[in-house]
Amino acid sequence: MEFDPDAHIDHGAPLPPYRQLAGILAARVQRGDWQPNRAIPSEAHLVQEYGVARATVRRAIAVLVDQGALFVVPQRGTFVKPEGQ
């Protein structure tokens, strides 16, 4: 499913908010909003920007980590994984 990088979370949609957020964040990575090996905004920032719970943000990030789009560095943040790694 394709997501608009500028989309908002639709709480009434059949797709869970964390899946919507994962799609939106992936689209933003694809668009180049965040460069490889650079941090994405903090969980707290994403909570405010998208109006979701921190657990929702964490689940969305976990999906993208599992897909190989992001990686987490403890005590540093979540970063965009370079392509081919």
Side-chain angles (χ1 to χ4, degrees):
M1 176 178 261
E2 289 288 321
F3 284 88
D4 177 0
D6 298 316
H8 299 283
I9 302 298
D10 179 358
H11 294 279
L15 194 62
Y18 81 94
R19 287 282 183 191
Q20 293 178 53
L21 183 58
I24 293 167
L25 296 179
R28 291 185 68 182
V29 168
Q30 287 286 342
R31 182 171 71 182
D33 288 6
W34 307 302
Q35 299 303 309
N37 288 318
R38 296 290 176 206
I40 67 169
S42 69
E43 288 179 0
H45 179 87
L46 294 172
V47 164
Q48 285 188 322
E49 183 175 352
Y50 291 101
V52 295
R54 186 176 292 260
T56 302
V57 171
R58 287 183 177 162
R59 285 185 78 183
I61 288 171
V63 167
L64 295 175
V65 167
D66 288 346
Q67 291 176 354
L70 302 176
F71 65 98
V72 177
V73 177
Q75 306 298 318
R76 298 281 309 178
T78 304
F79 294 80
V80 176
K81 195 170 194 178
E83 288 188 38
Q85 286 190 349

PDB file of all heavy atoms in Angstrom, residues 6-36:
ATOM      1  N   ASP A   6       2.775  13.217   3.312  1.00  0.00           N
ATOM      2  CA  ASP A   6       2.167  14.347   4.019  1.00  0.00           C
ATOM      3  C   ASP A   6       0.811  13.990   4.628  1.00  0.00           C
ATOM      4  O   ASP A   6       0.084  14.870   5.082  1.00  0.00           O
ATOM      5  CB  ASP A   6       2.006  15.530   3.064  1.00  0.00           C
ATOM      6  CG  ASP A   6       3.349  16.024   2.550  1.00  0.00           C
ATOM      7  OD1 ASP A   6       4.290  16.136   3.364  1.00  0.00           O
ATOM      8  OD2 ASP A   6       3.463  16.275   1.335  1.00  0.00           O
ATOM      9  N   ALA A   7       0.480  12.692   4.647  1.00  0.00           N
ATOM     10  CA  ALA A   7      -0.817  12.243   5.158  1.00  0.00           C
ATOM     11  C   ALA A   7      -0.901  12.402   6.677  1.00  0.00           C
ATOM     12  O   ALA A   7       0.116  12.559   7.367  1.00  0.00           O
ATOM     13  CB  ALA A   7      -1.040  10.785   4.781  1.00  0.00           C
ATOM     14  N   HIS A   8      -2.096  12.355   7.156  1.00  0.00           N
ATOM     15  CA  HIS A   8      -2.384  12.375   8.593  1.00  0.00           C
ATOM     16  C   HIS A   8      -2.962  11.021   8.977  1.00  0.00           C
ATOM     17  O   HIS A   8      -3.489  10.300   8.136  1.00  0.00           O
ATOM     18  CB  HIS A   8      -3.377  13.488   8.929  1.00  0.00           C
ATOM     19  CG  HIS A   8      -2.866  14.847   8.590  1.00  0.00           C
ATOM     20  ND1 HIS A   8      -1.951  15.506   9.371  1.00  0.00           N
ATOM     21  CD2 HIS A   8      -3.118  15.658   7.540  1.00  0.00           C
ATOM     22  CE1 HIS A   8      -1.670  16.670   8.833  1.00  0.00           C
ATOM     23  NE2 HIS A   8      -2.370  16.790   7.706  1.00  0.00           N
ATOM     24  N   ILE A   9      -2.896  10.696  10.247  1.00  0.00           N
ATOM     25  CA  ILE A   9      -3.459   9.446  10.745  1.00  0.00           C
ATOM     26  C   ILE A   9      -4.988   9.549  10.730  1.00  0.00           C
ATOM     27  O   ILE A   9      -5.552  10.514  11.240  1.00  0.00           O
ATOM     28  CB  ILE A   9      -2.968   9.145  12.188  1.00  0.00           C
ATOM     29  CG1 ILE A   9      -1.445   9.078  12.243  1.00  0.00           C
ATOM     30  CG2 ILE A   9      -3.605   7.871  12.728  1.00  0.00           C
ATOM     31  CD1 ILE A   9      -0.822   7.990  11.413  1.00  0.00           C
ATOM     32  N   ASP A  10      -5.636   8.549  10.148  1.00  0.00           N
ATOM     33  CA  ASP A  10      -7.091   8.466  10.124  1.00  0.00           C
ATOM     34  C   ASP A  10      -7.499   7.435  11.167  1.00  0.00           C
ATOM     35  O   ASP A  10      -7.406   6.230  10.930  1.00  0.00           O
ATOM     36  CB  ASP A  10      -7.571   8.063   8.730  1.00  0.00           C
ATOM     37  CG  ASP A  10      -9.082   7.938   8.632  1.00  0.00           C
ATOM     38  OD1 ASP A  10      -9.779   8.135   9.656  1.00  0.00           O
ATOM     39  OD2 ASP A  10      -9.566   7.638   7.523  1.00  0.00           O
ATOM     40  N   HIS A  11      -7.941   7.913  12.320  1.00  0.00           N
ATOM     41  CA  HIS A  11      -8.278   7.019  13.431  1.00  0.00           C
ATOM     42  C   HIS A  11      -9.514   6.171  13.157  1.00  0.00           C
ATOM     43  O   HIS A  11      -9.744   5.182  13.844  1.00  0.00           O
ATOM     44  CB  HIS A  11      -8.437   7.815  14.727  1.00  0.00           C
ATOM     45  CG  HIS A  11      -7.158   8.445  15.191  1.00  0.00           C
ATOM     46  ND1 HIS A  11      -6.196   7.754  15.877  1.00  0.00           N
ATOM     47  CD2 HIS A  11      -6.666   9.698  15.021  1.00  0.00           C
ATOM     48  CE1 HIS A  11      -5.167   8.546  16.139  1.00  0.00           C
ATOM     49  NE2 HIS A  11      -5.438   9.733  15.617  1.00  0.00           N
ATOM     50  N   GLY A  12     -10.291   6.517  12.141  1.00  0.00           N
ATOM     51  CA  GLY A  12     -11.478   5.743  11.807  1.00  0.00           C
ATOM     52  C   GLY A  12     -11.241   4.733  10.693  1.00  0.00           C
ATOM     53  O   GLY A  12     -12.152   3.992  10.323  1.00  0.00           O
ATOM     54  N   ALA A  13     -10.036   4.685  10.175  1.00  0.00           N
ATOM     55  CA  ALA A  13      -9.719   3.774   9.059  1.00  0.00           C
ATOM     56  C   ALA A  13      -9.568   2.340   9.562  1.00  0.00           C
ATOM     57  O   ALA A  13      -9.270   2.100  10.738  1.00  0.00           O
ATOM     58  CB  ALA A  13      -8.429   4.215   8.385  1.00  0.00           C
ATOM     59  N   PRO A  14      -9.757   1.368   8.667  1.00  0.00           N
ATOM     60  CA  PRO A  14      -9.601  -0.034   9.079  1.00  0.00           C
ATOM     61  C   PRO A  14      -8.142  -0.407   9.367  1.00  0.00           C
ATOM     62  O   PRO A  14      -7.888  -1.328  10.132  1.00  0.00           O
ATOM     63  CB  PRO A  14     -10.152  -0.834   7.905  1.00  0.00           C
ATOM     64  CG  PRO A  14     -10.138   0.099   6.749  1.00  0.00           C
ATOM     65  CD  PRO A  14     -10.240   1.481   7.303  1.00  0.00           C
ATOM     66  N   LEU A  15      -7.188   0.300   8.772  1.00  0.00           N
ATOM     67  CA  LEU A  15      -5.772   0.034   9.012  1.00  0.00           C
ATOM     68  C   LEU A  15      -5.372   0.645  10.355  1.00  0.00           C
ATOM     69  O   LEU A  15      -5.642   1.824  10.613  1.00  0.00           O
ATOM     70  CB  LEU A  15      -4.939   0.650   7.880  1.00  0.00           C
ATOM     71  CG  LEU A  15      -3.494   0.209   7.763  1.00  0.00           C
ATOM     72  CD1 LEU A  15      -3.399  -1.298   7.490  1.00  0.00           C
ATOM     73  CD2 LEU A  15      -2.810   0.980   6.653  1.00  0.00           C
ATOM     74  N   PRO A  16      -4.726  -0.126  11.241  1.00  0.00           N
ATOM     75  CA  PRO A  16      -4.367   0.400  12.550  1.00  0.00           C
ATOM     76  C   PRO A  16      -3.461   1.625  12.440  1.00  0.00           C
ATOM     77  O   PRO A  16      -2.649   1.719  11.505  1.00  0.00           O
ATOM     78  CB  PRO A  16      -3.621  -0.752  13.221  1.00  0.00           C
ATOM     79  CG  PRO A  16      -3.956  -1.967  12.441  1.00  0.00           C
ATOM     80  CD  PRO A  16      -4.300  -1.523  11.065  1.00  0.00           C
ATOM     81  N   PRO A  17      -3.567   2.556  13.383  1.00  0.00           N
ATOM     82  CA  PRO A  17      -2.753   3.771  13.334  1.00  0.00           C
ATOM     83  C   PRO A  17      -1.245   3.505  13.236  1.00  0.00           C
ATOM     84  O   PRO A  17      -0.541   4.222  12.528  1.00  0.00           O
ATOM     85  CB  PRO A  17      -3.100   4.493  14.638  1.00  0.00           C
ATOM     86  CG  PRO A  17      -4.485   4.056  14.936  1.00  0.00           C
ATOM     87  CD  PRO A  17      -4.549   2.619  14.486  1.00  0.00           C
ATOM     88  N   TYR A  18      -0.743   2.467  13.902  1.00  0.00           N
ATOM     89  CA  TYR A  18       0.696   2.231  13.833  1.00  0.00           C
ATOM     90  C   TYR A  18       1.119   1.824  12.427  1.00  0.00           C
ATOM     91  O   TYR A  18       2.223   2.179  11.977  1.00  0.00           O
ATOM     92  CB  TYR A  18       1.158   1.203  14.881  1.00  0.00           C
ATOM     93  CG  TYR A  18       0.952  -0.246  14.522  1.00  0.00           C
ATOM     94  CD1 TYR A  18       1.967  -0.981  13.921  1.00  0.00           C
ATOM     95  CD2 TYR A  18      -0.249  -0.890  14.793  1.00  0.00           C
ATOM     96  CE1 TYR A  18       1.791  -2.329  13.608  1.00  0.00           C
ATOM     97  CE2 TYR A  18      -0.438  -2.222  14.479  1.00  0.00           C
ATOM     98  CZ  TYR A  18       0.579  -2.934  13.887  1.00  0.00           C
ATOM     99  OH  TYR A  18       0.410  -4.254  13.556  1.00  0.00           O
ATOM    100  N   ARG A  19       0.251   1.096  11.703  1.00  0.00           N
ATOM    101  CA  ARG A  19       0.554   0.712  10.312  1.00  0.00           C
ATOM    102  C   ARG A  19       0.490   1.942   9.399  1.00  0.00           C
ATOM    103  O   ARG A  19       1.293   2.095   8.485  1.00  0.00           O
ATOM    104  CB  ARG A  19      -0.423  -0.347   9.818  1.00  0.00           C
ATOM    105  CG  ARG A  19      -0.195  -1.697  10.411  1.00  0.00           C
ATOM    106  CD  ARG A  19       0.972  -2.353   9.729  1.00  0.00           C
ATOM    107  NE  ARG A  19       1.154  -3.698  10.245  1.00  0.00           N
ATOM    108  CZ  ARG A  19       2.204  -4.433   9.998  1.00  0.00           C
ATOM    109  NH1 ARG A  19       3.159  -3.987   9.236  1.00  0.00           N
ATOM    110  NH2 ARG A  19       2.305  -5.630  10.520  1.00  0.00           N
ATOM    111  N   GLN A  20      -0.484   2.808   9.643  1.00  0.00           N
ATOM    112  CA  GLN A  20      -0.565   4.045   8.878  1.00  0.00           C
ATOM    113  C   GLN A  20       0.694   4.879   9.092  1.00  0.00           C
ATOM    114  O   GLN A  20       1.291   5.373   8.130  1.00  0.00           O
ATOM    115  CB  GLN A  20      -1.781   4.862   9.296  1.00  0.00           C
ATOM    116  CG  GLN A  20      -3.112   4.248   8.959  1.00  0.00           C
ATOM    117  CD  GLN A  20      -4.250   5.102   9.459  1.00  0.00           C
ATOM    118  OE1 GLN A  20      -4.311   6.296   9.177  1.00  0.00           O
ATOM    119  NE2 GLN A  20      -5.146   4.502  10.231  1.00  0.00           N
ATOM    120  N   LEU A  21       1.104   5.017  10.355  1.00  0.00           N
ATOM    121  CA  LEU A  21       2.275   5.809  10.671  1.00  0.00           C
ATOM    122  C   LEU A  21       3.536   5.198  10.061  1.00  0.00           C
ATOM    123  O   LEU A  21       4.378   5.916   9.514  1.00  0.00           O
ATOM    124  CB  LEU A  21       2.434   5.966  12.185  1.00  0.00           C
ATOM    125  CG  LEU A  21       3.603   6.837  12.635  1.00  0.00           C
ATOM    126  CD1 LEU A  21       3.510   8.241  12.047  1.00  0.00           C
ATOM    127  CD2 LEU A  21       3.665   6.895  14.156  1.00  0.00           C
ATOM    128  N   ALA A  22       3.658   3.885  10.116  1.00  0.00           N
ATOM    129  CA  ALA A  22       4.814   3.228   9.503  1.00  0.00           C
ATOM    130  C   ALA A  22       4.857   3.537   8.009  1.00  0.00           C
ATOM    131  O   ALA A  22       5.930   3.835   7.457  1.00  0.00           O
ATOM    132  CB  ALA A  22       4.765   1.721   9.743  1.00  0.00           C
ATOM    133  N   GLY A  23       3.719   3.501   7.344  1.00  0.00           N
ATOM    134  CA  GLY A  23       3.665   3.813   5.922  1.00  0.00           C
ATOM    135  C   GLY A  23       4.026   5.251   5.632  1.00  0.00           C
ATOM    136  O   GLY A  23       4.750   5.551   4.668  1.00  0.00           O
ATOM    137  N   ILE A  24       3.533   6.168   6.449  1.00  0.00           N
ATOM    138  CA  ILE A  24       3.841   7.587   6.272  1.00  0.00           C
ATOM    139  C   ILE A  24       5.331   7.844   6.490  1.00  0.00           C
ATOM    140  O   ILE A  24       5.977   8.541   5.694  1.00  0.00           O
ATOM    141  CB  ILE A  24       2.988   8.447   7.231  1.00  0.00           C
ATOM    142  CG1 ILE A  24       1.510   8.371   6.834  1.00  0.00           C
ATOM    143  CG2 ILE A  24       3.472   9.895   7.238  1.00  0.00           C
ATOM    144  CD1 ILE A  24       0.556   8.914   7.886  1.00  0.00           C
ATOM    145  N   LEU A  25       5.889   7.268   7.552  1.00  0.00           N
ATOM    146  CA  LEU A  25       7.316   7.468   7.824  1.00  0.00           C
ATOM    147  C   LEU A  25       8.170   6.864   6.715  1.00  0.00           C
ATOM    148  O   LEU A  25       9.171   7.463   6.297  1.00  0.00           O
ATOM    149  CB  LEU A  25       7.686   6.876   9.184  1.00  0.00           C
ATOM    150  CG  LEU A  25       7.027   7.523  10.410  1.00  0.00           C
ATOM    151  CD1 LEU A  25       7.472   6.811  11.686  1.00  0.00           C
ATOM    152  CD2 LEU A  25       7.317   9.006  10.484  1.00  0.00           C
ATOM    153  N   ALA A  26       7.793   5.685   6.217  1.00  0.00           N
ATOM    154  CA  ALA A  26       8.527   5.059   5.113  1.00  0.00           C
ATOM    155  C   ALA A  26       8.473   5.952   3.875  1.00  0.00           C
ATOM    156  O   ALA A  26       9.485   6.111   3.171  1.00  0.00           O
ATOM    157  CB  ALA A  26       7.958   3.681   4.811  1.00  0.00           C
ATOM    158  N   ALA A  27       7.324   6.553   3.607  1.00  0.00           N
ATOM    159  CA  ALA A  27       7.190   7.451   2.460  1.00  0.00           C
ATOM    160  C   ALA A  27       8.066   8.688   2.636  1.00  0.00           C
ATOM    161  O   ALA A  27       8.652   9.186   1.661  1.00  0.00           O
ATOM    162  CB  ALA A  27       5.727   7.850   2.273  1.00  0.00           C
ATOM    163  N   ARG A  28       8.186   9.158   3.858  1.00  0.00           N
ATOM    164  CA  ARG A  28       9.045  10.320   4.113  1.00  0.00           C
ATOM    165  C   ARG A  28      10.520   9.967   3.921  1.00  0.00           C
ATOM    166  O   ARG A  28      11.291  10.778   3.417  1.00  0.00           O
ATOM    167  CB  ARG A  28       8.793  10.869   5.515  1.00  0.00           C
ATOM    168  CG  ARG A  28       7.409  11.512   5.629  1.00  0.00           C
ATOM    169  CD  ARG A  28       7.173  12.159   6.958  1.00  0.00           C
ATOM    170  NE  ARG A  28       8.034  13.331   7.098  1.00  0.00           N
ATOM    171  CZ  ARG A  28       8.076  14.084   8.196  1.00  0.00           C
ATOM    172  NH1 ARG A  28       7.307  13.779   9.229  1.00  0.00           N
ATOM    173  NH2 ARG A  28       8.858  15.124   8.254  1.00  0.00           N
ATOM    174  N   VAL A  29      10.904   8.753   4.306  1.00  0.00           N
ATOM    175  CA  VAL A  29      12.282   8.301   4.067  1.00  0.00           C
ATOM    176  C   VAL A  29      12.522   8.222   2.567  1.00  0.00           C
ATOM    177  O   VAL A  29      13.542   8.715   2.058  1.00  0.00           O
ATOM    178  CB  VAL A  29      12.551   6.936   4.743  1.00  0.00           C
ATOM    179  CG1 VAL A  29      13.860   6.339   4.259  1.00  0.00           C
ATOM    180  CG2 VAL A  29      12.556   7.083   6.263  1.00  0.00           C
ATOM    181  N   GLN A  30      11.570   7.624   1.839  1.00  0.00           N
ATOM    182  CA  GLN A  30      11.700   7.494   0.376  1.00  0.00           C
ATOM    183  C   GLN A  30      11.816   8.865  -0.295  1.00  0.00           C
ATOM    184  O   GLN A  30      12.563   9.027  -1.253  1.00  0.00           O
ATOM    185  CB  GLN A  30      10.496   6.748  -0.208  1.00  0.00           C
ATOM    186  CG  GLN A  30      10.488   5.282   0.075  1.00  0.00           C
ATOM    187  CD  GLN A  30      11.516   4.532  -0.767  1.00  0.00           C
ATOM    188  OE1 GLN A  30      12.000   5.016  -1.769  1.00  0.00           O
ATOM    189  NE2 GLN A  30      11.841   3.330  -0.329  1.00  0.00           N
ATOM    190  N   ARG A  31      11.070   9.830   0.205  1.00  0.00           N
ATOM    191  CA  ARG A  31      11.085  11.178  -0.369  1.00  0.00           C
ATOM    192  C   ARG A  31      12.389  11.907  -0.057  1.00  0.00           C
ATOM    193  O   ARG A  31      12.739  12.878  -0.713  1.00  0.00           O
ATOM    194  CB  ARG A  31       9.881  11.960   0.164  1.00  0.00           C
ATOM    195  CG  ARG A  31       9.763  13.368  -0.401  1.00  0.00           C
ATOM    196  CD  ARG A  31       8.477  14.025  -0.031  1.00  0.00           C
ATOM    197  NE  ARG A  31       8.441  14.361   1.394  1.00  0.00           N
ATOM    198  CZ  ARG A  31       7.393  14.911   1.980  1.00  0.00           C
ATOM    199  NH1 ARG A  31       6.301  15.168   1.286  1.00  0.00           N
ATOM    200  NH2 ARG A  31       7.404  15.187   3.267  1.00  0.00           N
ATOM    201  N   GLY A  32      13.111  11.425   0.950  1.00  0.00           N
ATOM    202  CA  GLY A  32      14.375  12.064   1.298  1.00  0.00           C
ATOM    203  C   GLY A  32      14.289  13.083   2.413  1.00  0.00           C
ATOM    204  O   GLY A  32      15.194  13.896   2.580  1.00  0.00           O
ATOM    205  N   ASP A  33      13.184  13.039   3.179  1.00  0.00           N
ATOM    206  CA  ASP A  33      13.065  13.972   4.311  1.00  0.00           C
ATOM    207  C   ASP A  33      14.198  13.780   5.309  1.00  0.00           C
ATOM    208  O   ASP A  33      14.622  14.740   5.958  1.00  0.00           O
ATOM    209  CB  ASP A  33      11.730  13.777   5.026  1.00  0.00           C
ATOM    210  CG  ASP A  33      10.543  14.301   4.222  1.00  0.00           C
ATOM    211  OD1 ASP A  33      10.734  14.709   3.057  1.00  0.00           O
ATOM    212  OD2 ASP A  33       9.421  14.289   4.762  1.00  0.00           O
ATOM    213  N   TRP A  34      14.646  12.539   5.455  1.00  0.00           N
ATOM    214  CA  TRP A  34      15.745  12.211   6.369  1.00  0.00           C
ATOM    215  C   TRP A  34      16.790  11.433   5.592  1.00  0.00           C
ATOM    216  O   TRP A  34      16.477  10.466   4.902  1.00  0.00           O
ATOM    217  CB  TRP A  34      15.238  11.392   7.552  1.00  0.00           C
ATOM    218  CG  TRP A  34      14.076  12.044   8.247  1.00  0.00           C
ATOM    219  CD1 TRP A  34      14.046  13.283   8.813  1.00  0.00           C
ATOM    220  CD2 TRP A  34      12.776  11.499   8.438  1.00  0.00           C
ATOM    221  NE1 TRP A  34      12.805  13.538   9.338  1.00  0.00           N
ATOM    222  CE2 TRP A  34      12.006  12.453   9.123  1.00  0.00           C
ATOM    223  CE3 TRP A  34      12.192  10.284   8.093  1.00  0.00           C
ATOM    224  CZ2 TRP A  34      10.686  12.241   9.482  1.00  0.00           C
ATOM    225  CZ3 TRP A  34      10.868  10.073   8.438  1.00  0.00           C
ATOM    226  CH2 TRP A  34      10.128  11.045   9.134  1.00  0.00           C
ATOM    227  N   GLN A  35      18.013  11.826   5.706  1.00  0.00           N
ATOM    228  CA  GLN A  35      19.113  11.222   4.959  1.00  0.00           C
ATOM    229  C   GLN A  35      19.618   9.953   5.644  1.00  0.00           C
ATOM    230  O   GLN A  35      19.474   9.798   6.859  1.00  0.00           O
ATOM    231  CB  GLN A  35      20.263  12.227   4.827  1.00  0.00           C
ATOM    232  CG  GLN A  35      19.867  13.488   4.080  1.00  0.00           C
ATOM    233  CD  GLN A  35      19.334  13.200   2.688  1.00  0.00           C
ATOM    234  OE1 GLN A  35      19.960  12.492   1.911  1.00  0.00           O
ATOM    235  NE2 GLN A  35      18.159  13.720   2.382  1.00  0.00           N
ATOM    236  N   PRO A  36      20.243   9.043   4.867  1.00  0.00           N
ATOM    237  CA  PRO A  36      20.823   7.824   5.455  1.00  0.00           C
ATOM    238  C   PRO A  36      21.831   8.173   6.564  1.00  0.00           C
ATOM    239  O   PRO A  36      22.557   9.160   6.472  1.00  0.00           O
ATOM    240  CB  PRO A  36      21.517   7.154   4.275  1.00  0.00           C
ATOM    241  CG  PRO A  36      20.755   7.638   3.078  1.00  0.00           C
ATOM    242  CD  PRO A  36      20.364   9.059   3.414  1.00  0.00           C
TER     243      PRO A  36
END
